[in-house]
Amino acid sequence: MTAAPPHIAVVDDEHDARTMVGEYLAAHGFDVALCDGGRSLRAHLETHAPDLIVLDLNMPEEDGLSIVRDLKSRSTIPIIMLTATASPIDRVVGLELGADDYLPKPCELRELVARVRSVLRRAHGGAPASPPGAPAPARIRFGTKWLELDALRLSDDAGQEQTLTRSEYDLLKAFADHPKRALTRERLLDLADARDPNAFDRAIDVRITRIRRKIEPDPANPRFIRTVRGLGYVFRPDGD
């Protein structure tokens, strides 16, 4: 039996932009639903479960950041943001809220397809492999939490799950594979399969800040994922 194509919801209040993106994704083998805003998207979610959402941030009915905040509070559906603003503020806020990637708008449609495929791989295709001869254990201690590799989740000692985006998981897995080794931001982008042709260091910093809030006893004074001044970050399993 042939597997069903990934279902993508495209959310944009501009009819022409929405149609253009939808038609291009459909032409590349995706099953596409078009939504003209937050209300339309929520109605669609009542009967469908998208594999990914492409979301315009600048909409008059409800801004995209509000939609990201709402969706990420109750689901793990990957989200790619489209933003027409030149400022990185919207991107940073969106990443802090849990969005998985972003593109400037108008976007290069070929790049959008590549980003969609990359995010879907990260969401459904498994984590980066461990180095040969050094398989990671099923559970790895990160401060106050456990990273469960098989379940792709973060949980505390009582088994209570902590919300974790796929991009956060990929970063934790990269640290788990390279303990006590200082990793540059560029190296972390590569290891987490998050390479961005317009990459800015702040994207990694935002994700690290989110992770620290989840694993550090005192996020303001991190012990387990430490900053290496002028270089990047290092995972110290013992917090020493």
Side-chain angles (χ1 to χ4, degrees):
M1 179 182 294
T2 302
H7 181 56
I8 311 296
V10 177
V11 188
D12 195 320
D13 64 301
E14 298 179 9
H15 177 272
D16 291 345
R18 182 172 69 246
T19 301
M20 179 177 64
V21 169
E23 289 179 348
Y24 196 84
L25 290 172
H28 283 76
F30 297 100
D31 175 39
V32 179
L34 303 180
C35 303
D36 62 6
R39 186 179 306 169
S40 174
L41 173 63
R42 290 186 180 91
H44 182 69
L45 292 176
E46 291 180 1
T47 56
H48 297 77
D51 294 287
L52 183 143
I53 296 171
V54 177
L55 175 67
D56 179 28
L57 290 191
N58 307 110
M59 296 184 292
E61 174 192 319
E62 180 182 3
D63 70 272
L65 292 177
S66 174
I67 296 173
V68 172
R69 181 185 298 108
D70 176 54
L71 291 179
K72 287 299 184 178
S73 71
R74 55 192 177 89
S75 80
T76 57
I77 300 173
I79 298 174
I80 295 179
M81 306 178 295
L82 301 181
T83 173
T85 62
S87 169
I89 296 300
D90 280 349
R91 308 176 213 162
V92 171
V93 173
L95 291 170
E96 287 178 333
L97 292 174
D100 298 84
D101 205 345
Y102 75 90
L103 274 173
K105 186 183 178 184
C107 63
E108 166 56 54
L109 294 177
R110 289 175 298 179
E111 182 178 359
L112 175 61
V113 168
R115 296 295 187 91
V116 166
R117 288 173 174 160
S118 177
V119 171
L120 286 174
R121 280 197 305 272
R122 298 203 302 269
H124 304 294
S130 299
R139 293 204 314 166
I140 299 172
R141 187 75 177 182
F142 273 90
T144 62
K145 303 293 191 303
W146 290 95
L147 180 66
E148 301 180 40
L149 298 178
D150 293 338
L152 277 69
R153 72 172 191 164
L154 195 67
S155 61
D156 62 19
D157 289 329
Q160 294 297 311
E161 186 172 354
Q162 168 74 61
T163 302
L164 191 69
T165 69
R166 185 60 199 229
S167 61
E168 291 167 357
Y169 171 86
D170 288 341
L171 274 178
L172 286 172
K173 181 63 165 59
F175 282 124
D177 286 341
H178 301 82
K180 300 183 180 181
R181 288 178 55 186
L183 301 172
T184 65
R185 292 171 176 84
E186 180 174 325
R187 179 64 173 148
L188 285 168
L189 284 167
D190 289 336
L191 289 171
D193 192 24
R195 170 52 58 196
D196 182 341
N198 300 307
F200 58 107
D201 288 348
R202 180 67 171 142
I204 284 293
D205 295 339
V206 165
R207 290 180 170 92
I208 295 296
T209 297
R210 289 205 313 254
I211 288 171
R212 282 172 168 167
R213 290 173 185 157
K214 297 175 181 181
I215 70 164
E216 295 281 355
D218 180 5
N221 298 286
R223 294 168 47 205
F224 298 94
I225 296 182
R226 296 187 181 182
T227 301
V228 181
R229 189 175 299 276
L231 181 64
Y233 297 95
V234 61
F235 169 43
R236 308 292 297 183
D238 299 325
D240 54 8

